[in-house]
């Protein structure tokens, strides 16, 4: 095993040597170059008759993310239009190896103005300054660069039998995935605030389309995200000693409040901004080396997500919770974007769920393998209680969001979309559906419709039907069944949701804190 590790280490050293050779980098003298305050981690190199910076830092492998921020001082009166760039000098395999073995990560700094060499004035890692020097005197400009190196799983959280720093197989298994996010590559500028748009009013409608003869039963989840290396379940941050709400009363003090967002709801479905509807969850199934998008879900506590039972049990489908991961804090299906990816330690299907009449109790609870840290981007929604109406009147405004099939026929949308929809009575719902479809309407379901034919479609199953009561968001239903015609959803017809309020006792009794 030691020989294998030695061979792998040598291969990575050769890779770095190859990269440097390709760049044709050579050492130069310090003549006419700015003073270097910390030569142990930074030096100037020559590349194609220009200077670049070489930074090397040992990062904390136990962190989910390591943020490196660099400040430079550029002499002269002219402020460059770009601050330059901060990039890695290695590929992902080498980054993963170096991070797990406490070896320096190599960065390359490209300066913005040919012939002008800035002075390194500050280097910080995760907010802690590791090098600092005085900037040039006036006139000069300050340049700021940032690069984040993250792993989908902190290595310290991997069980000892799987720790890659204990042993390396000849072909390293991708037990976690290294990714990079460039956070700040511009100079300080005042962000532009989007102009709030008025919420359009939905025109009244006196006629609803007649039902189509074929109901839409839950489709086998067939939609796949682009093939990527598997992402291991992880805690969203490396912080410890957190306290989490332990009761419904404690949850009520934080639930249902979203980050302030400039974009209001409008008809026909618009993209959800990150921080908007921070309880939205995307469920993925682990298939081979890939994770395929499965269904939507809603966070209701720091350790519980609610979704639809038919996502896991329907027909020949019997998906165990252990093969599911939950994505939180993202408006995107991209698991490499900022957010949390958490495993599932237990799956609980409602005991009254019947695949033959699934809408009546189409509920599943997922116990997350770790508590998630609650903040602006991850927050539970509130649950129904007796202070709110149980029987909603026709036309009561509700909202739904998800990553499912769109009006163009795309199987999934990359970014979540949302729309408003109107509650309709049981009588109205039955009157707009065929006799075969109407049997899925029960005393434990709720229907909603939209005159603009926008709403949930295939892939949105398990997502939440949400109400906004005095700026507090509440979960009222779970997307269960809709209607199809030919190869697309027929959203001129009502969508049937399992009514969470009618199952509130089961939910409160069964959820985890």
């Amino acid at each position: 095993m030691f020989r294998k590790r030695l061979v792998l280490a040598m291969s990575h050293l050769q890779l770095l040597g190859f990269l440097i050779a390709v760049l044709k980098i050579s050492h130069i003298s310090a003549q006419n170059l700015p003073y270097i305050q910390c030569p142990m981690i930074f030096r100037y190199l020559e590349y194609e008759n220009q200077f670049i910076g070489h930074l090397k830092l040992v990062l904390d492998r136990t962190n989910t993310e390591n943020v490196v921020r660099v400040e430079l001082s550029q002499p002269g009166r002219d402020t460059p239009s770009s601050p330059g760039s901060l990039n890695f000098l290695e590929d992902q395999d080498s980054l993963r190896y170096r991070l797990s073995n406490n070896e320096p990560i190599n960065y390359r700094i490209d300066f913005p103005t040919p012939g002008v060499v800035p002075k390194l004035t500050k280097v910080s890692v995760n907010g802690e300054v590791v090098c600092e020097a005085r900037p040039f005197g006036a006139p000069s400009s300050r340049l700021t660069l940032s690069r984040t190196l993250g792993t989908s799983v902190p290595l310290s959280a991997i069980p000892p039998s799987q720790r890659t720093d204990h042993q390396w197989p000849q072909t390293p298994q991708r037990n976690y995935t290294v990714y990079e996010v460039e956070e700040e590559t511009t100079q300080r500028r005042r962000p532009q605030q989007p102009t709030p748009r008025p919420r359009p009013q939905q025109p009244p409608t006196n006629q609803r389309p007649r039902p189509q003869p074929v109901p839409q039963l839950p489709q086998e989840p067939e939609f796949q995200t682009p093939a990527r290396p598997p992402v291991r379940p992880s805690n969203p941050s490396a912080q410890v000693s957190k306290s989490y709400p332990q009761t419904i009363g404690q949850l009520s003090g934080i639930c249902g409040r979203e980050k302030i967002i400039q974009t209001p709801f409008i008809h026909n479905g618009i993209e959800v901004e990150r921080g908007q509807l921070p309880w939205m969850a995307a469920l993925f199934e682990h298939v081979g080396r890939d994770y395929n998008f499965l269904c939507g879900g809603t966070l209701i506590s720091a350790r519980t997500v609610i979704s639809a039972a038919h996502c896991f049990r329907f027909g020949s489908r019997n998906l165990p919770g252990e093969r599911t991961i939950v994505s939180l804090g993202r408006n995107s299906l991209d698991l490499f974007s900022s957010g949390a990816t958490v495993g599932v330690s237990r799956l609980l299907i409602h005991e009254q769920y019947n695949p033959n009449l699934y809408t009546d109790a189409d509920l599943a609870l997922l116990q997350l393998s770790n508590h998630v840290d609650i903040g602006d981007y991850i927050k539970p929604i509130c649950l129904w209680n007796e202070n709110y109406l149980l029987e909603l009147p026709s036309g009561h405004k509700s909202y739904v969001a998800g990553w499912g099939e769109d009006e163009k026929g795309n199987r999934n949308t990359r970014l979540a979309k949302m729309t408003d929809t109107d509650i309709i009575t049981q009588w109205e719902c039955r009157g707009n559906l065929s006799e075969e479809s109407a049997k899925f309407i029960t005393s434990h379901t709720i229907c909603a419709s939209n005159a603009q034919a926008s709403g949930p479609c295939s892939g949105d199953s398990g997502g939440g039907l949400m109400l906004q009561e005095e700026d507090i968001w509440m979960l009222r239903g779970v997307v269960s069944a809709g209607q199809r015609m030919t190869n697309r959803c027929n959203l001129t017809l009502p969508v049937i949701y399992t009514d969470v309020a009618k199952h509130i006792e089961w939910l409160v009794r069964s959820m985890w804190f």
Side-chain angles (χ1 to χ4, degrees), residues 403-421:
W403 291 271
E405 182 180 328
D406 64 13
E407 66 279 1
K408 298 178 181 179
N410 297 315
R411 290 181 172 181
N412 294 114
T413 58
R414 187 180 68 85
L415 298 179
K417 288 189 175 183
M418 58 186 175
T419 189
D420 52 359
T421 185

Side-chain angles (χ1 to χ4, degrees), residues 219-224 293 411-412:
Q219 304 292 312
E220 285 292 316
E222 58 181 354
F223 312 134
Q224 299 186 2
F293 177 63
R411 290 181 172 181
N412 294 114

Side-chain angles (χ1 to χ4, degrees), residues 173-234:
Q173 299 297 314
R174 299 199 175 191
N175 291 328
Y176 61 95
T177 300
V178 176
Y179 66 96
E180 55 178 287
V181 180
E182 190 165 356
E183 290 185 338
E184 182 181 353
T185 56
T186 58
Q187 296 170 276
R188 289 190 171 183
R189 296 176 182 173
R190 179 173 297 180
Q192 297 181 353
Q193 297 294 332
T195 304
R197 291 172 288 179
R199 181 183 300 175
Q201 299 297 317
Q202 182 172 352
T205 177
N206 297 322
Q207 294 183 349
R208 296 190 180 272
R210 298 306 300 168
Q212 299 294 320
V214 181
Q216 175 198 354
L217 298 181
Q219 304 292 312
E220 285 292 316
E222 58 181 354
F223 312 134
Q224 299 186 2
T225 53
R228 291 186 183 272
V231 180
R232 298 273 303 185
S234 70

Side-chain angles (χ1 to χ4, degrees), residues 180-345:
E180 55 178 287
V181 180
E182 190 165 356
E183 290 185 338
E184 182 181 353
T185 56
T186 58
Q187 296 170 276
R188 289 190 171 183
R189 296 176 182 173
R190 179 173 297 180
Q192 297 181 353
Q193 297 294 332
T195 304
R197 291 172 288 179
R199 181 183 300 175
Q201 299 297 317
Q202 182 172 352
T205 177
N206 297 322
Q207 294 183 349
R208 296 190 180 272
R210 298 306 300 168
Q212 299 294 320
V214 181
Q216 175 198 354
L217 298 181
Q219 304 292 312
E220 285 292 316
E222 58 181 354
F223 312 134
Q224 299 186 2
T225 53
R228 291 186 183 272
V231 180
R232 298 273 303 185
S234 70
N235 230 351
S237 75
Q239 299 178 6
V240 295
S241 302
K242 295 277 186 179
S243 60
Y244 305 98
Q246 297 296 310
T247 65
I248 291 294
Q250 292 177 6
L251 275 173
S252 65
I254 61 171
C255 66
R257 297 156 176 86
E258 63 181 348
K259 188 176 184 292
I260 297 176
I261 298 292
Q262 294 291 332
T263 306
F265 281 101
I266 62 174
H267 295 298
N268 299 319
I270 63 166
E271 291 180 350
V272 177
E273 296 184 34
R274 186 165 184 251
Q276 198 169 13
L277 310 179
W279 37 84
M280 283 187 66
L283 311 186
F284 291 80
E285 178 186 0
H286 188 191
V287 180
R289 296 179 62 86
D290 296 325
Y291 281 93
N292 298 337
F293 177 63
L294 176 67
C295 279
T298 306
L299 186 72
I300 58 174
S301 79
R303 204 172 183 185
T304 309
V305 166
I306 187 171
S307 186
H310 78 252
C311 295
F312 302 89
R313 306 281 189 274
F314 192 82
S316 61
R317 185 172 187 78
N318 187 12
L319 176 64
E322 293 76 13
R323 276 179 46 199
T324 310
I325 65 166
V326 178
S327 171
L328 293 163
R330 298 182 175 98
N331 62 339
S332 169
L333 288 181
D334 184 2
L335 294 177
F336 288 67
S337 60
S338 298
T341 307
V342 193
V344 174
S345 56

